[in-house]
Amino acid sequence: MTTQALGSPGPGEVLALFRARPPLTRADVMRVTGLSRSTVNQRIDLLLEAGLLAEREPDVVPGRGRGRPAGSFALDVDRGVLLVCDIGATAMRAAACDLSGRILTETTLRSDVTEGPLEVLPRVESMFAALLETVGRARTEVHGLALSVPGPVDHEQATVISPPIMSGWDQFDVRGWFATDYRCPLLLEKDATAMAWGEYRTHYPDADTIVLLKLGTGVGSGIISHGRIHRGADGAAGDIGHTQLLDPSPTNAPLCRCGNLGCVEARAGGWAMMRDLAAEGREVDTVDGVVQLVRTSDPVAVRLARAAGRVLGLALSEMVNIVNPRVVVVDGQLAEAEEQIFAGLREMVYSRSLPLATRRLELRRGRLDGRAASVGLALLLSDHIFDPTRIDLQLSEASA
Ligand SMILES: [Zn+2]
């Protein structure tokens, strides 16, 4: 039961102001919200008492005598930490972050996701324990966990659903697994969705609609529409890697890891390129190995990369028509094969998509250097724990 008048910002909304802006004074909050002095004082005192806001020491600006006036407040981002882990097909990247989602320290580990959750999650927990030791924090100071996986997820339940490659993960209760050690929220996202959120929030906050195309061992995409994640009704939105755009007749279509014939990733994913390179006498056992071959201008690798670029471009052109993004960010290990992949992508998107959909379309490389998923997870987690409704509920429970 809330006592706030309709439309009047509650403590959670007031706290949200401090997430988006530099330190604010009580007068700033009155001006921005239109709330009365007594209400602003009440909200800020409540947030201070709960430890969510901290009073800032006035800055002393050299040569100006005095800096920011006393009595300004900021989010207390060091009150706890967030832990995130991007679980990839063959490697994991984990990070400890402050409460704003800024990465403090990170670590990586080679790990095969197909070994299943009972093998993989203990490794994630070991990475988390090592990160906590590095930043000098205890488990009790962890305010949230977030993981991403290379497959579709049920966001509400934090379970992986019918993953094409992640054997043993289907319906596994990830939240339950961590609940014995951590008393905090846990979010689970598809990797491409987390990457899309990371790029959107960091580099394209005004883009409205963006698509992130992830080219790694597999192929996937994440969609941000009107500034919100588009997961679809069942979490399957954006699964571009398992669409079949070309003739899937059994005579010429390659078998996909999902069991279907002729999926996009069975023609153009990192694993498919490894398969095709092997068939032509070029043995590589990682996607990085594929990228290295392309970069050294190996003629077979270059030909396959260009062909893969055109298949990916064909798939992407359909997506551009349907979603009409302002920006498409191409990321993932295979995206590092640079121009060989990009040439085909660009050619297909601009020749096959509708003119209206490409008129202002920007096709960009990922700019977060392999960190897009962890950056996205940390920001999502920060949004989640500071969600105004959630904050109001916490505060009303604390005062009850
Ligand atoms: Zn498939």
Side-chain angles (χ1 to χ4, degrees), residues 241-242 256-260 263 265:
H242 299 283
C256 186
R257 300 185 293 181
C258 72
N260 287 332
C263 293
E265 74 161 54

Side-chain angles (χ1 to χ4, degrees), residues 1-2 11 46 50 389-400:
M1 182 63 192
T2 171
L46 198 61
T389 314
R390 197 181 150 82
I391 293 289
D392 287 348
L393 190 68
Q394 266 175 28
L395 293 174
S396 68
E397 279 170 359
S399 66

